[in-house]
């Protein structure tokens, strides 16, 4: 795939798999894959009620708060995690039963889903002004806040750069936050 900027306005909202919320798919691999066949998927979810998360058996999930006060996640009725610090990723298994309790109103969160046994990945948050060079395993750069400049174009909040050019550098300005999403085959 060649580098491509994905603008926020070009990602229409879709219902969650369980129909109880909305998500905006940013990228999926292989291109055009559905919920049963993706290797990896990146999206932004809008959480405005205490709806449970959709179950994704065999999928590893990573989530990071973008906007709002966040929510409390209770996994399988036992472990509770507060997703209340913006831009701090949290990983959990997709088959977990996840109940949500909003802390103070609606939120938005960034999501990475990886088919277990076929891909491993992570979300790295970059937030200090300066120049950054993503590694070869970075499949997508998402501008969570502010503005970033690359040779492939300018990313504004909500925009993403799919498959950054080899050797590309990003210039982050004051208060910019970028998520660099890395994906590799397992065992690398």
């Amino acid at each position: 795939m060649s580098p491509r900027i994905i603008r926020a306005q070009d990602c229409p909202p879709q219902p969650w798999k369980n129909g109880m919320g909305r998500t905006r798919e940013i990228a999926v691999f292989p291109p055009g894959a559905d919920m049963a066949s993706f290797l990896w998927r990146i999206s932004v979810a809008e959480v405005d009620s205490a709806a449970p998360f959709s179950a994704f058996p065999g999928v590893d999930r990573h989530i990071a708060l973008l906007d709002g006060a966040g929510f409390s996640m209770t996994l399988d009725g036992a472990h509770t995690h507060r997703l209340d610090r913006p831009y701090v990723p949290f990983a959990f298994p997709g088959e977990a039963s996840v109940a949500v309790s909003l802390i103070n109103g609606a939120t938005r969160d960034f999501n990475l889903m990886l088919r277990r046994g076929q891909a491993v990945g992570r979300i790295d948050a970059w937030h200090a002004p300066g120049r950054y060079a993503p590694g070869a395993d970075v499949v997508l750069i998402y501008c969570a806040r502010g503005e970033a400049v690359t040779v492939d174009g300018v990313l504004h909040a909500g925009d993403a750069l799919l498959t950054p050019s080899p050797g590309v550098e990003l210039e982050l300005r004051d208060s910019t936050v970028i998520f660099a999403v890395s994906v590799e085959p397992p065992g690398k």
Side-chain angles (χ1 to χ4, degrees), residues 8 15 26 32 47 49 54 66 97-98 103 107 111 113 118 135 141-142 152 171 184 186:
I26 298 169
V47 182
S49 70
S54 302
L66 289 171
S97 171
V98 181
I103 293 172
T107 68
N111 297 276
M113 291 191 252
Q118 297 179 41
I141 294 167
Y142 178 80
D152 295 310
E171 180 186 333
E184 304 181 288

Side-chain angles (χ1 to χ4, degrees), residues 42-115:
I42 300 167
S43 64
V44 171
E46 300 165 6
V47 182
D48 49 10
S49 70
F53 281 13
S54 302
F56 285 92
V59 172
D60 292 321
R61 297 182 71 174
H62 301 255
I63 187 171
L65 180 64
L66 289 171
D67 298 309
F71 47 84
S72 180
M73 304 167 60
T74 303
L75 288 81
D76 295 327
H79 175 74
T80 300
H81 175 79
R82 284 180 61 94
L83 192 76
D84 59 358
R85 292 178 42 219
Y87 319 120
V88 178
F90 173 69
F92 63 100
E95 56 273 1
S97 171
V98 181
V100 171
S101 174
L102 294 175
I103 293 172
N104 186 20
T107 68
R108 283 186 334 118
D109 56 74
F110 184 83
N111 297 276
L112 166 63
M113 291 191 252
L114 304 139
R115 188 78 51 198

